[in-house]
Structure formats: C-alpha cells, structure tokens
C-alpha cells in the first residue's frame, strides 16, 4: 500500500521553539537546565545524539501540552490533578463526566462504566462513615489536599512527640494504643489521635509523675484495627 | 555504571521480584478449568522475567519512606497486566518465543491464548480492589483510574504499531516512533509504575504529571535497548528469536534510520519485504536488512540515541526525586537509566 493512502495525523502544532537538549525548556517552568545530563550518562555529546534527544523532548513537550490543553478544555482548571492530562480530545467518546459516552469500543465503555460504579460505591460507603467525604465526588479536591498533623501536648516537663503515619492514614478514622515505656515505667494512656477532615490531631497528656523515658504505641485504624502508624513520645 | 550499582539493581530486582511473584500466585485461582485456563494463566509469570515494572513501583514508593506492603498489591497488578499484554502481543506480533519457551499461542493455539490473556487482565483487578484495606478508598480509586489510563495509552500505542505494519507505512519518522514508544512501552513499563509509586509514597501531594518525563526518557531508552538486543543480543539471555523484529516488520529506530539513508533500490527492496506476510519474509532478506543496518550505522545511531535518552532520564530523575533522602531505593532509581542501556 502506498503511503499516500495512509491515514495521516494532522501536523503537530509546536507551542514554542524546539528545545535544544542542552538548554532549558522554553515553555515549561523548570528548576534547572540539563547541562550535565550527558556527562552523567557517560555518553559523548555529539550532533546525532543531540538531535535524537531534541526530537524526544519535542515529542514529550507536545504530548504534555496537548494534555494540559485538553484538561483546561474539559475542566477549565489547569491545576486539576493529572488524570485528564493527556490529549483526551483525540479519543472518540472520551471520558465525559455527566455527558454520557460517545461511540467507543466495548472495553473502553466497560472501563468507564466500571469507574463510575466504583465512584458511586465509594460515595455510598462514605455516607456510612462519620466524617468521611462531604461532597458527592471524593476526587474533586484530591490533588490540593496534603495531610496536616496538629499536635497538642499537655505536660509540665519537656516532651518530644514523633508521629509516623502510613500512606492513607490521614483519610482513616484512627485510634491510638496506650504508649508503653521501653523500660518498666507506667504507660501513657491519655494519648489520642483523631482525624478531622484532612487533618490529624494528636493529643498527648503527660502527668507530673510520668517517668522520663521513651514511650511507643501503634496508631490503628478504627475500622479494621490494622496499624496505620506509630506514635513515639520522649519524656525528658 | 559501577559494579556496585549494577549489583544494587540486580539485588533489588531480585528482592522485589520475588516478593511480587510470591503474592501474585496467591491471586491465581486453583480451580477448574485448569487445563485450558488457570494453569495457563500462571504460565508466563512462572517463566520469570526481570520484574522491572513492579520493582520500579515498589522502589519509588519506598524511596518516600513507605513500607513495601503498601505498594505490593499494585506491583502484583502491574506484573499481571504486563504478562497479559505479553500474551496478546505475542499473538498480534506472531512471535514464536517468550522467555526462552514457545509463546502461549504457539503452544496452546490463538483462541485459548487470547482468553488466558483476558483472564489475567481481569485477575489483575483483584489486588487493586484489595488496596482499599491498606491504602484507603481514595488512593485505591486513584490507582484504579491510573490503571485504566495506562491500559488506554498502551492500547493506543499498540494500535500505532499494528496499523503501521498492516498498512506497510514506511514514512514513519523518529518523532512518530517516539510517540508510539511513549504510549506502547513507556506507560506500562515506566510511567505508570513511577506514577503509582509516587502516588502511594507522597499520598497524592505530588503532581503525577511530573513522572511522565522521567518515565518517558527511561522507557524510551529501555525500548531502544530492547530493540538492539533483538538484533545483537544473546539468544538464550534474550529469550526471543533474534532479528524477530525485522521478521515481524516492526518500525524500530534502526529500521527508520535505514529507510532514511538507504538508496532508492535498497529502499524498494525493504518495502517489498515489509509488504509480505510475516511467514513469507525470507531469511536472506532478514540477514540483508540487518547487514544494511550495520553498514549505514543504524545500529550505532540507535545506541547513541538510547544513551542520550538515558542521560535525559537521569536529569529528569534529579528534578523529580532528587530532593528525597538518600536510600537504597533512591540509589536504585538513580541507577536505572544507565542500567537499561547496559543490560543484555
């Protein structure tokens, strides 16, 4: 078959000058330029190599740009997290929340139905858990929420608190075990861990007679009791 | 690449690969029909492989300080989907061997091979659903969304390659090839594991699009090296028939370079050969194309480009993960760009 009879994609629209592989990108904010990338690879810089990498940068720049444009078109929000960041416009019947499905193949339709079912299921489950997501769409602000931890300490002596929360702990209902001493001292029973939205509040009360030492306890999920982190208190 | 770095990469691939496979087999049912389905579902995973994809996912999550068990189920799913895609790829490419043994469709027939691939894809959903118990519903659902996107990207990339071969497209340029590799190879091999590892490790606090560049350059270098090994590798270590890509008419960087530099007569002979059915391509023609690639420096050129892409991957790594505290897993990630172009 001759090449003239082949489907041809429209020529790519370059949003900026093709990046020289040794220079910083023109249209994407970056923290630095890859001046040392060839020396770190142990490869000699030459025209052939430079052209190859330049082409690769042009390809990935264009791919990213199309994705960002598609995301802006669909959500009018360039900061939305990356799910829609590819060029979904090129996908007939691409995922279209609230807009139904366009013509597409059965597997894609199944995949999208599946995702919608999972969202509905997740929302339904969330309704039974106090303090779970308040909105209909649990993903709406997922990218903009980093977990924060607030620590309240009530003590007459110097105390150091370290909390190690495993991934996902900030979206679980939590409970703290009593903090047991490494030695024979009495445990600290008054530690509590409460999740409030995307904030985890840790409260530790240390009595005047609490012996100096290191006290440790697991933070567990209320729902199934699995360990969600560790709490360490050092009383000096 | 120092011997220490090489040893570290081998050690982590072995460690995380064993952990992944141990859990993976727990997700494979031991029920009927065994002969025509479930025994075969376990076939490709049992043949081994480097476990590069699950290891990348686990190491990325661990580089953020996350315990291995938080990434293990997702790593299992990635490995299952990879094997499922290999079964289907082997059918589509008419490949004869996989990991040193006859390809699934050669041994069991095309219909059964396709069904086994389908089942392995579906089984890969179970560990992702069970993520909910350890990662919580939000992260788990985001991983499902990421998996759906990866599957789409991979199928789109495969569509490019299959279409080019079916229609004997010969004017594929380097940018076309790289876009195809970005979708077909990089999304499953490097971008997806990197994104998922980062999602689990950073709990959604990092924009995952930042992983695309690192994954693209690493994956593209990986693919070109794979294509080079197909021409020049050790047949036993490689596990597939050498020069199989030429026989299958794959548009590799070497073939694109050759088509751009060959004389008109040579170009016509190549096009004629590529227009034939796979089985009709003569051994003499395959050897001649390989000889022309060597003569025109196409293999040397592709190797240089792979080196350049690996360098770019190292740069993108420093931008993406450079701020993380030093660890064995971070060292592993940092060593991967050189490893992918040195492996054999």
């Amino acid at each position: 078959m001759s090449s003239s009879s082949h489907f041809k994609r429209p020529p790519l629209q370059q949003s900026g000058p093709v990046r020289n592989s040794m220079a910083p990108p023109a249209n994407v904010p970056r923290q630095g330029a890859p001046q040392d990338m060839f020396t770190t690879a142990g490869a000699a810089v030459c025209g052939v190599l430079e052209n190859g990498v330049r082409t690769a940068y042009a390809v990935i720049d264009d791919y990213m740009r199309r994705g960002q444009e598609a995301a802006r078109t669909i959500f009018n929000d360039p900061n939305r997290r990356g799910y829609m960041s590819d060029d979904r416009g090129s996908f007939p019947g691409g995922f279209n929340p609230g807009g139904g499905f366009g013509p597409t193949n059965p597997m894609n339709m199944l995949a999208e139905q599946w995702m919608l079912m999972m969202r509905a299921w997740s929302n339904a489950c969330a309704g039974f858990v106090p303090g779970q997501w308040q909105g209909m769409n649990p993903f709406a602000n997922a990218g903009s929420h980093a977990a924060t931890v607030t620590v309240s300490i009530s003590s007459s002596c110097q105390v150091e608190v370290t909390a190690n929360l495993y991934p996902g702990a900030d979206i679980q209902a939590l409970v703290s075990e009593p903090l047991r001493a490494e030695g024979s001292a009495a445990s600290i029973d008054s530690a509590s861990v409460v999740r409030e939205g995307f904030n985890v509040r840790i409260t530790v009360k240390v009595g005047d007679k609490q012996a100096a030492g290191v006290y440790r306890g697991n933070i567990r999920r209320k729902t199934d009791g699995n360990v969600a982190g560790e709490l360490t208190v050092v009383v000096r | 690449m120092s011997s220490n770095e090489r040893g570290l990469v081998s050690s982590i691939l072995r460690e995380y690969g064993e952990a992944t496979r141990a859990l993976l087999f727990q997700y494979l049912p031991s029920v009927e029909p065994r002969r025509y389905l479930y025994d075969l579902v376990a076939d490709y995973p049992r043949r081994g492989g480097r476990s590069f994809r699950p290891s990348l996912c686990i190491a990325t999550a661990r580089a953020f300080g996350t315990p291995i068990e938080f990434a293990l189920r997702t790593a299992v799913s990635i490995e299952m989907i990879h094997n499922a895609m290999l079964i289907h790829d082997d059918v589509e490419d008419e490949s004869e061997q996989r990991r040193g043994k006859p390809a699934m469709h050669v041994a069991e027939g095309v219909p059964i091979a396709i069904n086994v691939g389908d089942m392995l894809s579906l089984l890969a959903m179970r560990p992702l659903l069970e993520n909910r118990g350890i990662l919580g519903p939000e992260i788990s659902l985001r991983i499902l969304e990421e998996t759906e996107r990866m599957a789409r990207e991979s199928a789109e990339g495969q569509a490019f390659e299959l279409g080019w071969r079916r229609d004997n497209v010969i004017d594929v340029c380097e940018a076309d090839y790289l876009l195809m590799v970005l979708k077909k190879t990089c999304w499953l091999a490097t971008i997806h594991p990197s994104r998922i590892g980062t999602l689990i490790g950073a709990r959604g606090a990092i924009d995952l699009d930042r992983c695309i560049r690192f994954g693209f350059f690493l994956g593209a270098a990986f693919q070109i090296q794979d294509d080079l090994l197909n021409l020049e590798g050790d047949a036993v270590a490689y596990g597939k028939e050498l020069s199989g890509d030429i026989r299958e008419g794959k548009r590799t960087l070497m073939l694109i370079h050759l088509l751009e530099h060959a004389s008109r007569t040579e170009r016509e002979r190549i096009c004629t050969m590529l227009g034939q059915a796979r089985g009709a391509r003569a051994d003499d023609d395959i050897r001649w194309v390989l000889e022309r690639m060597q003569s025109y420096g196409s293999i040397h050129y592709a190797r240089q480009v792979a080196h350049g892409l690996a360098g770019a991957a190292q740069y993108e790594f420093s931008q993406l993960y450079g701020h993380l505290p030093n660890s064995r897993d971070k060292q592993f990630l940092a060593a991967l760009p050189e490893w992918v172009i040195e492996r054999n």
Side-chain angles (χ1 to χ4, degrees):
Chain A
M1 182 179 286
S2 70
S3 62
S4 61
S5 64
H6 303 144
F7 172 74
K8 300 289 286 187
R9 286 183 292 113
L12 304 179
Q13 292 179 341
Q14 193 66 37
S15 60
V18 173
R19 186 185 313 157
N20 184 300
S21 60
M22 300 302 287
N27 56 351
V28 180
R30 300 283 288 272
Q31 295 177 339
Q35 277 91 352
D36 61 345
M37 62 190 210
F38 294 111
T39 54
T40 51
V45 178
C46 65
V48 165
L49 185 151
E50 199 174 314
N51 285 339
V53 177
R54 184 188 296 130
T55 305
Y57 264 110
V59 168
I60 194 68
D61 280 351
D62 186 68
Y63 176 83
M64 301 293 285
R65 180 185 60 77
R66 284 170 180 246
Q68 286 155 4
E69 285 176 1
R72 274 194 293 274
T73 303
I74 294 169
F75 293 106
N76 195 26
D77 179 4
N79 294 318
R80 188 179 165 84
R81 48 165 250 266
Y83 171 62
M84 298 301 294
S85 60
D86 187 16
D87 181 11
R88 313 315 283 187
S90 68
F91 181 78
F95 186 58
N96 181 14
F101 299 105
T104 183
N105 74 50
M107 283 309 290
N108 287 331
M109 290 180 71
L110 275 174
E112 285 164 349
Q113 293 277 19
W114 167 254
M115 293 312 301
L116 289 174
M117 272 171 49
M118 292 301 292
R119 285 179 184 229
W121 165 76
S122 179
N123 279 335
C125 291
F128 293 98
V129 183
Q132 282 283 20
W133 300 303
Q134 301 300 307
M136 282 300 292
N137 182 355
F139 303 93
N141 296 307
S144 60
H145 282 288
T148 56
V149 178
T150 306
V151 181
S152 295
I153 303 169
S154 173
S155 172
S156 58
C157 54
Q158 189 182 350
V159 172
E160 184 180 303
V161 177
T162 303
N164 177 20
L165 294 174
Y166 297 163
D170 51 305
I171 54 171
Q172 305 281 342
L174 302 171
V175 62
S176 172
E177 289 181 342
L179 308 181
R180 304 192 186 286
E182 287 186 345
S184 57
S187 60
I188 298 176
D189 299 328
S190 57
S192 71
V193 180
V194 178
R195 188 188 55 77
E196 300 164 334
F198 281 86
N199 181 56
V200 176
R201 175 178 293 278
I202 298 170
T203 306
V204 179
K205 293 178 184 172
V206 179
D208 293 343
K209 295 179 181 174
Q210 194 73 45
V214 180
Y215 299 78
R216 300 179 198 278
N218 286 326
I219 298 169
R220 294 184 180 276
R221 298 189 302 220
K222 263 187 181 173
T223 48
D224 55 16
N226 284 341
V227 175
E230 298 162 342
L231 187 60
T232 305
V233 173
V234 180
V235 179
R236 301 191 191 282
Chain B
M1 188 177 201
S2 71
S3 58
N4 280 348
E5 289 170 327
R6 200 173 294 114
L8 174 69
V9 172
S10 300
S11 165
I12 285 195
L13 288 175
R14 189 167 51 248
E15 180 185 337
Y16 294 166
E18 285 172 2
T20 302
R21 273 190 293 277
L23 186 58
L24 185 153
F25 289 117
Q26 293 179 27
Y27 282 100
L28 303 184
S30 298
V31 296
E32 295 297 338
R34 294 168 193 266
R35 167 71 186 86
Y36 303 121
L37 184 61
Y38 289 119
D39 286 350
L40 301 178
V41 157
D43 183 16
Y44 272 25
R46 279 211 181 94
R47 295 186 188 190
R50 282 181 297 264
S51 301
F52 173 73
R53 293 156 186 80
S55 298
L56 177 55
C57 174
I58 293 170
T60 305
R62 294 204 67 184
F64 285 88
T66 305
I68 185 172
E69 54 265 34
F70 286 88
L72 199 51
R73 284 181 177 79
T74 311
V76 165
S77 177
I78 289 171
E79 185 67 2
M80 289 167 96
I81 291 171
H82 170 54
N83 280 281
M85 287 186 176
L86 286 182
I87 294 171
H88 286 182
D89 284 357
D90 286 345
V91 173
E92 291 157 359
D93 296 344
E94 301 175 70
S95 298
E96 294 169 359
Q97 286 185 296
R98 173 65 60 185
R99 293 172 182 159
K101 293 181 180 176
M104 176 79 70
H105 68 281
V106 173
E108 305 293 337
V110 170
I112 283 186
I114 290 175
N115 194 49
V116 168
D118 288 344
M119 175 54 83
L120 200 46
S121 295
L122 287 169
L123 291 171
M125 295 298 106
R126 176 51 50 187
L128 296 183
L129 293 171
E130 292 184 358
N131 265 339
R132 189 172 183 275
I134 195 164
L135 295 177
E138 184 193 355
I139 300 279
S140 302
L141 279 169
R142 286 196 62 184
I143 292 172
L144 275 165
E145 284 191 324
E146 287 289 323
T147 302
E148 180 237 13
R149 177 173 180 186
M150 174 275 295
R152 277 190 185 181
E153 298 279 1
S154 300
E156 288 173 9
Q158 183 75 346
F160 279 130
E161 181 165 75
L162 295 175
W164 292 342
R165 282 155 56 189
R166 187 195 69 178
D167 296 343
N168 198 19
V169 178
I170 56 163
D171 56 352
V172 175
C173 68
E174 204 169 301
D176 294 328
Y177 167 81
L178 288 167
L179 181 62
M180 182 271 289
V181 166
L182 164 64
K183 287 173 169 285
K184 187 195 85 164
T185 302
C186 300
W187 263 95
L188 175 58
T190 47
I191 295 173
H192 180 62
S194 175
R195 282 168 71 97
I196 295 295
T198 302
L199 174 63
I200 294 171
R203 292 182 288 164
I206 290 181
D207 176 10
L208 298 185
D209 277 359
R210 294 177 62 193
C211 304
I212 293 180
R213 287 175 181 277
F214 169 63
F216 168 58
F217 290 114
L218 181 65
F222 180 93
Q223 180 63 64
I224 293 171
Q225 177 67 13
D226 208 53
D227 295 345
L228 288 165
L229 288 172
N230 186 275
L231 298 180
E232 296 191 316
D234 175 84
V236 175
Y238 185 58
K240 291 191 281 189
E241 63 271 33
L242 289 183
S243 300
D245 286 351
I246 299 176
R247 192 176 293 280
E248 291 162 13
K250 284 190 175 175
R251 271 55 178 172
T252 61
L253 198 58
M254 294 77 81
L255 184 65
I256 291 167
H257 183 272
L258 174 60
L259 285 166
E260 285 173 354
H261 292 81
S263 69
R264 186 175 172 182
T265 310
E266 291 169 331
R267 188 179 160 92
E268 284 172 358
R269 180 174 173 183
I270 296 167
C271 294
T272 302
M273 188 204 77
L274 293 175
Q276 295 171 329
R278 184 191 194 278
R281 289 172 191 146
D283 289 346
D284 283 349
D285 282 339
I286 308 292
R287 279 192 291 271
W288 175 78
V289 169
L290 181 58
E291 184 275 321
R292 288 290 84 195
M293 284 178 174
Q294 288 161 339
S295 175
Y296 280 106
S298 305
I299 293 172
H300 177 68
Y301 170 77
R303 185 166 287 117
Q304 282 192 301
V305 172
H307 273 261
L309 296 175
Q314 283 188 326
Y315 171 73
E316 298 297 339
F317 167 84
S318 68
Q319 296 292 296
L320 182 58
Y321 300 121
H323 67 286
L324 294 176
N326 194 26
S327 68
R328 185 166 169 260
D329 292 283
K330 184 182 175 184
Q331 289 169 9
F332 166 76
L333 297 174
L336 284 181
E338 282 195 77
W339 177 80
V340 297
I341 56 172
E342 287 188 10
R343 71 201 166 88
N344 51 36

